[in-house]
Amino acid sequence: MEKKGARVVVKPVIGFENRLIAFVLLNMKNTKCNLIEFAEAIKS
């Protein structure tokens, strides 16, 4: 995503339920949203 212009504002860290989370800012000119949270999938 960084190659497409996104900026990582919080690199992956342990978050809720011991899952990795990260936050990315997108370019508002190209998208309809600004901040995205990525969360690791729950392992079964």
Side-chain angles (χ1 to χ4, degrees), residues 7-22:
R7 185 170 52 126
V8 177
V9 291
V10 176
K11 293 190 180 197
V13 296
I14 299 295
F16 59 95
E17 298 177 345
N18 285 332
R19 296 193 277 170
L20 285 175
I21 61 168

Side-chain angles (χ1 to χ4, degrees), residues 22-41:
F23 290 90
V24 174
L25 277 175
L26 300 179
N27 182 341
M28 287 294 289
K29 292 179 185 175
N30 300 328
T31 62
K32 292 184 180 181
C33 59
N34 191 15
L35 182 68
I36 293 182
E37 176 187 15
F38 287 99
E40 183 177 40

